Amino acid sequence: MVGGNPFDNEAHPVPIHIVTDASQLPAEFLNTSPERQLVVGFDCEGVDLCRHGTLCIMQLAFLDAIYLVDAIEGGEVLIKACKPALESSYVTKVIHDCKRDSEALCFQFGIKLHNVMDTQIAYSLIEEQEGRTRLLDDYISFVGLLADPRYCGISYQEKEEVRLLLRQDPMYWTYRPLSELMVLAAADDVPFLLYIYHIMMEKLNQRSFWYLAVRGALYCRCFCIDDNNYADWPSIPPIPDNLITEGNAPEEEILSILDVPHGKMGRIIGRKGASILSIKESCNAEILLGDSKGPPHKILRR
């Protein structure tokens, strides 16, 4: 089973490898195959992690080891060696909120992140499945997900401590050599992703599986705006026949991009948010707002 219980005190801790050369990564990850499909926990750390920021570390969690892929020391050659796996349908990347990581990989390294299982999306789908409603722009944080007793039920104070360090020094992840705290902070998240993955996959029904795949694909590309309408990205998964024949086919998912000129976002939002709220109410849209330097913006999905 991929992703053992990270709370098992009797289990031996998996080794953490700092990777500066592609030869240090597992061969099955570098050479993907339909006969050897993989599920890996996946995360990235960096400075202003987006198209214009700096990706510093890419974390990969396997059943038997955690790999910290050092983009500062290994450079573009190392990250591009991971490109086939990150774009592969044979490697499932389990991640919490893929949007900015995908943007950084796309614009900094030309990598089109594909086949993600986004636990933030899965959480919302399971909530809907079980009859609980949420606001469209109410997203579960990773710390919040870990605190949920249905998944982990733990307080992740260490994450808050790292966030405090990042607020004090935004360049934190660029420093080398990596300190013990940096290594532990980077490696802590990804084993939980594999553990949560299995719990969620058992809860999701067929309809939610399709939504998970589609929304994961859309979220990967939502900040990767280009001039060719995503023609060189993998196609969006079609609605499966078994969902159509049930007579209650799911609604099509639509990604709409609005690239707002600098300084004009206020016109889109409107006075006291009136314009943006009107759009939400009229088309039941999920709206993410963000700019070139930071967290979400410029996207409508409905």
Side-chain angles (χ1 to χ4, degrees):
M1 173 180 172
V2 177
N5 189 337
F7 317 111
D8 186 353
N9 293 326
E10 295 183 2
H12 295 291
V14 297
I16 301 170
H17 303 294
I18 298 172
V19 176
T20 56
D21 186 272
S23 62
Q24 297 169 289
L25 286 166
E28 62 268 27
F29 178 77
L30 294 174
N31 304 294
T32 62
S33 164
E35 289 78 34
R36 187 75 183 271
Q37 299 198 25
L38 301 175
V39 178
V40 299
F42 180 72
D43 194 16
C44 296
E45 307 294 348
V47 179
D48 288 331
L49 200 58
C50 62
R51 70 185 65 193
H52 299 304
T54 303
L55 190 152
C56 300
I57 299 173
M58 192 167 66
Q59 302 104 293
L60 303 168
F62 293 76
L63 176 61
D64 57 353
I66 297 169
Y67 296 85
L68 304 183
V69 182
D70 190 341
I72 300 296
E73 293 291 327
E76 185 175 3
V77 172
L78 173 59
I79 301 301
K80 286 197 170 181
C82 301
K83 177 182 170 77
L86 297 179
E87 295 185 343
S88 175
S89 298
Y90 308 134
V91 180
T92 299
K93 280 69 68 174
V94 185
I95 185 172
H96 189 84
D97 191 4
C98 63
K99 296 185 289 294
R100 286 298 182 182
D101 291 12
S102 178
E103 181 185 12
L105 288 167
C106 179
F107 286 100
Q108 294 179 38
F109 300 101
I111 295 171
K112 297 173 177 62
L113 187 61
H114 176 57
N115 193 28
V116 301
M117 189 285 193
D118 192 317
T119 55
Q120 189 177 71
I121 299 171
Y123 182 90
S124 297
L125 289 169
I126 292 168
E127 292 293 284
E128 293 170 15
Q129 253 184 225
E130 297 179 352
R132 289 178 286 272
T133 58
R134 72 171 185 95
L135 298 174
L136 279 170
D137 48 3
D138 180 24
Y139 305 100
I140 187 79
S141 68
F142 188 59
V143 172
L145 178 60
L146 290 179
D148 190 318
R150 294 170 296 171
Y151 298 102
C152 292
I154 64 165
S155 173
Y156 195 8
Q157 187 60 38
E158 294 85 352
K159 190 74 171 178
E160 298 302 333
E161 292 171 1
V162 173
R163 285 176 176 170
L164 177 61
L165 287 172
L166 291 173
R167 284 193 292 271
Q168 294 171 343
D169 185 358
M171 302 303 290
Y172 179 76
W173 289 114
T174 65
Y175 301 135
R176 297 297 180 273
L178 292 168
S179 68
E180 182 179 358
L181 176 59
M182 293 171 79
V183 170
L184 292 176
D188 266 354
D189 292 2
V190 279
F192 290 110
L193 287 169
L194 289 179
Y195 178 71
I196 292 168
Y197 165 82
H198 279 281
I199 297 173
M200 288 183 159
M201 293 301 279
E202 291 179 0
K203 290 176 177 284
L204 291 162
N205 62 29
Q206 288 301 310
R207 189 184 187 90
S208 294
F209 272 128
W210 177 75
Y211 275 125
L212 178 63
V214 170
R215 291 179 188 177
L218 294 178
Y219 277 38
C220 277
R221 69 190 68 193
C222 70
F223 293 133
C224 301
I225 304 168
D226 57 22
D227 297 325
N228 64 1
N229 197 28
Y230 304 108
D232 53 350
W233 284 72
S235 59
I236 300 296
I239 300 175
D241 291 340
N242 66 315
L243 294 184
I244 297 173
T245 55
E246 290 173 3
N248 186 25
E251 293 183 2
E252 183 182 6
E253 297 279 292
I254 299 172
L255 174 68
S256 301
I257 304 294
L258 181 61
D259 198 354
V260 181
H262 180 71
K264 302 297 183 181
M265 185 62 80
R267 295 189 179 186
I268 302 299
I269 295 173
R271 195 172 199 179
K272 295 184 178 180
S275 299
I276 209 80
L277 288 174
S278 177
I279 294 172
K280 278 187 178 183
E281 292 169 1
S282 65
C283 62
N284 195 31
E286 181 177 359
I287 300 176
L288 304 173
L289 301 175
D291 58 31
S292 61
K293 291 189 176 178
H297 301 329
K298 300 186 190 145
I299 159 180
L300 303 179
R301 185 190 65 73
R302 58 185 171 87

